[in-house]
Amino acid sequence: MRKKYLSALLFGALLFASAGTFTSCKDYDDDISNLQGQINDVNTAITELQSAVEGGKYVTAVSNTGNTITFTFSDGTTTQVALEDQVGSVVTVQDGVLYIDGEATDIKVAEPAPTPEPGEEHKDQIIIENNMWSVLQEDGTYKTTNIPVSGVSVSGSEAEGYTFRVYASDGTYKDVKLQSATSSLTDLTLQDHSPALKYYVYTFKYDGTGRPDRDKWAGPRALPAKDGSLVAAMSTIGIQLNPTDVDGTVIDFSLIDSKNNIPSSIALSASADTELKTRAASTNGLYTLSMEDVYFDDANALNNFENQFVSSKKNKLYAVVAGKTRSAYDVTVGKANSGESLTKVNVKNGSTTVATEAVGSDPDKDNPIIVDANKWYSVTATEGAALYDMHLSVDNDDKTLYGVQIEESEGSYRFMTTTTPDNITKPIFNLVVETVDKNGTYKKTTLAIQQSAIITSGVTYDPISYEIKNKNADENYFYVSLDKMKEALGTQGVALWNTQADLASTAVKFVDTTDKNVDDFAEADGIDATFVNKNEAKVTEVSSLKDANFIQFRITNATAGANFDVNKQYNAVIDFKKNSTTVLNTITVPFTLTLPSITTLFQLDANFVIDGNAVCYMYEKDQKAGEAAFNLNRVFAKAETTGFTIALDDQTNVVDNLKSSDLASMDNKEFDGSTMVTLNDKDKNTTTGIQKGYGQVLTFHITGKYANAWEYPENEGFTFTAKILSPIYEGNVTPREGSQVVIPASDLDGYQFGNDVIIGNTYNTAVTYDVLPIWKNGKSLYSREDIKAVSAKSGNTNIFTITGAPTDALPPITSGNTTVKRDGYFEMHSQNVPQTSTTTVEITVTDIWGYSKTSSVPVQITVE
């Protein structure tokens, strides 16, 4: 099993004189004295380390380079502690012996006891006692090494975590406790109920036609020195770690029974489990534990191995343990009924199987395995559990001609060709795959390999985001430079590409990267890829690919909008071909189409906005059949009028549980420049004639298609609020001069109360109008087209009476240079007032929308 002890890092060249010389600290006193106070920025280092620990990080590595100690954390960050003029030393335990800077001493260190139950004491192999390093003895006690601890030290292990200690000149020190991956664990959960770790015992007898001698086997895994029994796992254990971000691949896992016995010859290795278990929320923290092979050349040793898993003829129950953390005691270890037999090998490109051949077969040159240059291909066994080891080789001439590279490590075997097709004189070469299975059977498989015409592996560009324009394809496009592709091809590759790439055969498709069930799109679906020579503002479509330096992607809104979604990434995949079937190279251009924010397409005219609401005073030109209506486009300074719809809000109550959609309606929901909103007469006040929606804040939502082609996402729209008001109803009638109309009592009988003494004001007091009819366009009319009628009423009939309706206006009379207007008027009659009195004339103005506004005009009747 892997040893994870980095028991101490002690800075200062004071620890090692020669192997075995550790009898006294006297010789090191001067060095210790010199070391004190020579630590740079120790307080800063302590602060950084404490901050990392509090942030949930854990230590993955501690190293000493020159006079700097470096802590590497789980997120890849580092914290360094620098020392002046000092050389660090690393103190470790290997095979029960204390090592300093890789040199063995004569000091023996005992193995710690198996991981105890929670609450029991765990013993480290190295501790600090009385400022000396002490090591664990077989009886569980500690013995001093007489090696002093001074300056800066790191003690501990992967299982227990580490302690960073800084000594001051007076002998006092500060500690920072640092978690490791193992010591960070708080929980370890088995993913299956009562999992069984099954193994099979293969009878390993090295044999086979043409096999090399045992000691000349060239694979990465050495063959056993003599025949025997090979114990190989046939199943795995699924576990979940908590915290889930702990890297399980760096942790030592073991099995342990309830009596703290760890079975011998069982080594577990962890690999990330990428398959989501149904009982787990996510793949984070999921790992698969595999048992490493065990070889026995002694039958008694094999029997002892197998018997240790059974007690009283029952399978023992084990927990998975890592440091102080254990799973439930649900794991059993037992023998499987059968093993696997090695029959086939695979050639894979990543996870894709390119070819499968029978073990021991000869090359099939009529059906060679096609590989691309500069791309790694792995060779695996179909029955992976049956493979002991593998070795790949090619003829030296083929290796030179094809530039073949081979990399092998235990369990990993791969090859790559690096020479381009035009430099190759032989069309096919042989790849020899030698295998030894777990029964010890040797076989040689020869694969016929042919290199494809592909010049280089695919090039993926940086993602592009393009905002669509409300234009046609000639103005709606983005460019992609071919420089990145040519850089990947290299000088020789570009020369080959220039001579072989055929423009007419080049294929372009667009792939939906978010939904594999969607068929790929072609250029006919609205985006057209054209190869061009682009020199500043001049763009010329090319007739030969070697002349192209850009791809121009032109977008036809009407077609593309029906096939592509905005805010979704697609891949433009371009296959450059030598002919209709032979691909030379491929580039992938990820792109996302976006729309201008809908809030940039619509803008309310600030002149109409008060307190965030558009104030919509109705126009006489918008009126129809007496309805209270308003053309909403009047309040917009900027608006797209094609492809958008408008709707009244139907979610939020405005008044009396009525929503905007209850209070008003629109005859045309297309926002096309003539969108009329009309107040509904439902629940209209029969006395005042005012609808409940009048003057209320109504909410409108605008959604639609940009360029009448591209759908905006459901949650994106333009929302605004508006009030519908009458300019007449929101105004009043007042005396034309002063605060009241003054009428002598002597003139009251038959007094013409008209525009010379009163004036009308709209909602805007600066906008005035004549209240009574005027002569206009050859007839008697009201001065404003939005006035339907005007009437009057005496405020006190005991003082005077007044006609209810005004007279018509008459044509003006011109005498000489003087023109006299003859506007309509109300006629007043006196009731013989004995003294000066003050009262009112009630003037009611009714607009064309049916709203009547009554104003009290103060009147003083004077008696002299």
Side-chain angles (χ1 to χ4, degrees):
M1 295 178 64
R2 302 187 303 275
K3 295 294 181 184
K4 291 291 183 182
Y5 296 107
L6 178 56
S7 296
L9 279 162
L10 181 61
F11 280 79
L14 61 145
L15 289 185
F16 179 68
S18 62
T21 308
F22 296 97
T23 58
S24 170
C25 66
K26 187 178 189 311
D27 296 335
Y28 312 115
D29 287 346
D30 292 340
D31 294 303
I32 296 170
S33 176
N34 291 335
L35 185 61
Q36 308 301 328
Q38 293 188 356
I39 302 171
N40 296 334
D41 299 326
V42 167
N43 288 332
T44 300
I46 290 176
T47 300
E48 290 180 0
L49 291 172
Q50 287 174 331
S51 176
V53 171
E54 292 169 359
K57 301 179 186 179
Y58 59 87
V59 174
T60 58
V62 185
S63 62
N64 166 28
T65 54
N67 55 359
T68 301
I69 180 172
T70 301
F71 294 87
T72 302
F73 291 93
S74 51
D75 63 351
T77 59
T78 59
T79 295
Q80 294 182 331
V81 182
L83 304 176
E84 293 182 359
D85 303 323
Q86 300 298 323
V87 178
S89 295
V90 178
V91 181
T92 60
V93 177
Q94 301 177 35
D95 299 324
V97 175
L98 187 70
Y99 278 69
I100 299 179
D101 289 338
E103 299 282 346
T105 71
D106 62 354
I107 300 175
K108 303 296 182 182
V109 185
E111 283 282 343
T115 305
E117 292 286 356
E120 296 183 9
E121 181 183 3
H122 176 90
K123 292 184 178 293
D124 292 321
Q125 287 185 290
I126 299 177
I127 63 171
I128 300 172
E129 289 183 326
N130 300 320
N131 287 348
M132 299 288 176
W133 294 110
S134 294
V135 296
L136 184 66
Q137 303 298 294
E138 294 292 345
D139 61 0
T141 62
Y142 287 93
K143 179 180 179 180
T144 183
T145 63
N146 288 323
I147 302 173
V149 176
S150 178
V152 176
S153 69
V154 181
S155 62
S157 67
E158 167 65 28
E160 290 294 307
Y162 302 98
T163 299
F164 173 58
R165 177 168 290 185
V166 180
Y167 284 86
S169 57
D170 61 0
T172 59
Y173 55 84
K174 291 183 178 180
D175 281 346
V176 179
K177 299 294 184 181
L178 303 170
Q179 295 273 46
S180 65
T182 304
S183 64
S184 297
L185 288 178
T186 59
D187 189 34
L188 198 162
T189 305
L190 298 172
Q191 289 297 288
D192 296 301
H193 179 66
S194 302
L197 189 61
K198 293 289 185 179
Y199 64 86
Y200 183 74
V201 181
Y202 290 90
T203 301
F204 190 94
K205 184 178 181 180
Y206 185 49
D207 196 5
T209 304
R211 63 183 174 86
D213 292 339
R214 227 184 257 268
D215 58 352
K216 293 182 179 179
W217 170 249
R221 189 178 184 187
L223 298 180
K226 59 181 180 178
D227 293 341
S229 299
L230 181 62
V231 178
M234 302 303 295
S235 65
T236 59
I237 301 172
I239 59 169
Q240 184 175 31
L241 309 183
N242 190 25
T244 57
D245 59 353
V246 174
D247 183 2
T249 62
V250 302
I251 295 176
D252 280 328
F253 294 95
S254 303
L255 295 180
I256 193 169
D257 65 18
S258 59
K259 296 181 180 180
N260 287 336
N261 296 314
I262 296 177
S264 65
S265 302
I266 290 285
L268 301 178
S269 58
S271 59
D273 186 350
T274 57
E275 181 180 356
L276 181 65
K277 303 289 185 180
T278 57
R279 290 176 296 279
S282 72
T283 56
N284 286 340
L286 295 177
Y287 291 87
T288 297
L289 296 182
S290 303
M291 185 181 82
E292 299 175 10
D293 291 348
V294 189
Y295 193 78
F296 297 98
D297 56 14
D298 178 83
N300 289 330
L302 174 61
N303 288 334
N304 291 336
F305 172 81
E306 295 195 88
N307 290 336
Q308 68 179 327
F309 305 119
V310 179
S311 177
S312 302
K313 298 183 179 181
K314 293 183 179 180
N315 288 331
K316 289 184 179 179
L317 292 175
Y318 294 93
V320 176
V321 62
K324 295 181 180 180
T325 307
R326 305 184 184 203
S327 72
Y329 289 91
D330 282 341
V331 181
T332 59
V333 182
K335 189 173 183 179
N337 294 327
S338 61
E340 285 188 343
S341 297
L342 181 62
T343 64
K344 297 177 182 178
V345 292
N346 312 301
V347 177
K348 290 189 172 185
N349 174 11
S351 60
T352 302
T353 300
V354 176
T356 299
E357 301 291 342
V359 171
S361 61
D362 294 325
D364 183 359
K365 294 189 177 182
D366 292 331
N367 297 288
I369 300 168
I370 309 299
V371 299
D372 299 335
N374 299 306
K375 184 180 295 184
W376 283 106
Y377 289 82
S378 61
V379 183
T380 64
T382 300
E383 302 86 8
L387 180 69
Y388 180 84
D389 198 19
M390 184 186 297
H391 175 58
L392 311 180
S393 63
V394 296
D395 178 86
N396 285 334
D397 289 339
D398 291 335
K399 185 174 184 179
T400 301
L401 290 170
Y402 288 88
V404 178
Q405 297 180 11
I406 293 175
E407 290 186 356
E408 296 180 336
S409 60
E410 186 173 333
S412 175
Y413 317 88
R414 64 180 189 165
F415 70 97
M416 176 172 64
T417 61
T418 61
T419 306
T420 52
D422 279 20
N423 290 334
I424 298 173
T425 59
K426 298 168 67 176
I428 296 175
F429 70 90
N430 290 335
L431 175 69
V432 177
V433 181
E434 297 175 273
T435 57
V436 177
D437 67 15
K438 290 183 178 176
N439 285 316
T441 303
Y442 168 88
K443 287 191 178 181
K444 181 188 290 185
T445 308
T446 306
L447 307 177
I449 307 296
Q450 185 178 55
Q451 198 169 43
S452 73
I454 290 181
I455 300 173
T456 186
S457 57
V459 175
T460 299
Y461 279 66
D462 294 333
I464 293 172
S465 179
Y466 176 75
E467 184 175 282
I468 296 166
K469 298 179 177 62
N470 190 3
K471 305 285 186 180
N472 57 36
D474 291 335
E475 301 174 88
N476 205 12
Y477 51 76
F478 60 93
Y479 289 101
V480 173
S481 172
L482 292 176
D483 288 349
K484 184 172 183 176
M485 178 199 75
K486 292 179 179 181
E487 181 180 348
L489 290 174
T491 303
Q492 184 180 9
V494 170
L496 286 171
W497 191 85
N498 285 341
T499 58
Q500 296 186 17
D502 178 50
L503 177 61
S505 301
T506 297
V508 181
K509 65 179 180 181
F510 302 98
V511 180
D512 186 341
T513 61
T514 63
D515 190 345
K516 302 303 180 184
N517 295 321
V518 173
D519 293 335
D520 297 337
F521 300 111
E523 290 182 277
D525 292 314
I527 303 179
D528 176 51
T530 304
F531 295 91
V532 298
N533 182 352
K534 181 174 179 286
N535 185 9
E536 296 181 354
K538 185 178 180 180
V539 179
T540 306
E541 190 169 341
V542 299
S543 58
S544 175
L545 279 175
K546 70 177 182 179
D547 297 325
N549 55 17
F550 282 89
I551 307 174
Q552 183 189 62
F553 290 94
R554 294 193 302 234
I555 301 169
T556 302
N557 285 330
T559 309
N563 294 303
F564 294 87
D565 294 329
V566 295
N567 301 332
K568 176 189 284 189
Q569 182 169 294
Y570 296 89
N571 283 343
V573 181
I574 299 97
D575 289 333
F576 295 99
K577 296 184 178 183
K578 183 176 183 178
N579 48 51
S580 60
T581 58
T582 305
V583 177
L584 295 173
N585 68 307
T586 300
I587 65 172
T588 300
V589 181
F591 69 92
T592 301
L593 301 176
T594 65
L595 299 178
S597 171
I598 200 169
T599 57
T600 66
L601 303 180
F602 296 89
Q603 180 182 346
L604 292 173
D605 189 329
N607 296 304
F608 288 83
V609 178
I610 300 176
D611 296 331
N613 303 311
V615 180
C616 306
Y617 287 101
M618 291 179 282
Y619 286 75
E620 63 276 6
K621 294 180 180 179
D622 296 340
Q623 189 267 348
K624 59 178 182 177
E627 293 181 337
F630 183 84
N631 185 343
L632 287 171
N633 295 78
R634 294 183 184 280
V635 296
F636 279 90
K638 178 181 179 182
E640 289 284 334
T641 58
T642 302
F644 289 90
T645 60
I646 185 168
L648 283 149
D649 179 76
D650 60 0
Q651 298 297 315
T652 305
N653 289 335
V654 178
V655 60
D656 294 343
N657 292 323
L658 297 175
K659 301 170 177 60
S660 296
S661 57
D662 299 318
L663 298 171
S665 60
M666 288 177 292
D667 58 350
N668 179 14
K669 293 185 179 179
E670 298 297 324
F671 197 75
D672 60 0
S674 59
T675 304
M676 301 289 293
V677 58
T678 303
L679 297 179
N680 291 337
D681 285 338
K682 179 183 178 181
D683 299 322
K684 183 177 183 180
N685 189 309
T686 56
T687 302
T688 64
I690 297 177
Q691 302 92 341
K692 284 198 173 183
Y694 179 88
Q696 299 294 338
V697 176
L698 306 178
T699 301
F700 299 82
H701 303 294
I702 297 178
T703 57
K705 292 183 177 181
Y706 182 65
N708 209 23
W710 298 94
E711 289 278 4
Y712 274 94
E714 289 184 3
N715 61 348
E716 188 169 350
F718 182 82
T719 297
F720 69 98
T721 55
K723 295 180 180 180
I724 309 298
L725 299 167
S726 162
I728 300 299
Y729 184 78
E730 297 301 316
N732 60 6
V733 177
T734 63
R736 183 174 285 274
E737 296 180 0
S739 60
Q740 58 186 356
V741 178
V742 179
I743 304 172
S746 59
D747 296 337
L748 186 57
D749 196 29
Y751 183 83
Q752 297 179 356
F753 192 88
N755 290 329
D756 58 333
V757 294
I758 60 172
I759 191 170
N761 301 276
T762 65
Y763 65 94
N764 181 355
T765 56
V767 178
T768 61
Y769 63 91
D770 288 326
V771 179
L772 283 304
I774 63 174
W775 190 257
K776 182 179 179 182
N777 298 329
K779 61 178 69 176
S780 177
L781 298 172
Y782 288 108
S783 61
R784 290 180 60 97
E785 294 181 14
D786 51 6
I787 298 176
K788 181 179 181 181
V790 179
S791 62
K793 182 180 179 181
S794 173
N796 188 339
T797 56
N798 291 327
I799 299 175
F800 69 87
T801 61
I802 190 170
T803 56
T807 65
D808 289 336
L810 297 174
I813 298 174
T814 300
S815 177
N817 294 327
T818 302
T819 299
V820 179
K821 291 176 60 180
R822 295 193 293 174
D823 296 345
Y825 57 87
F826 297 108
E827 188 173 302
M828 301 175 66
H829 293 277
S830 171
Q831 297 296 91
N832 297 321
V833 180
Q835 60 182 352
T836 297
S837 303
T838 300
T839 182
T840 62
V841 174
E842 304 295 317
I843 305 295
T844 299
V845 181
T846 301
D847 62 25
I848 59 176
W849 301 287
Y851 303 116
S852 296
K853 179 65 174 287
T854 299
S855 301
S856 296
V857 178
V859 175
Q860 184 184 73
I861 309 299
T862 60
V863 176
E864 294 181 359

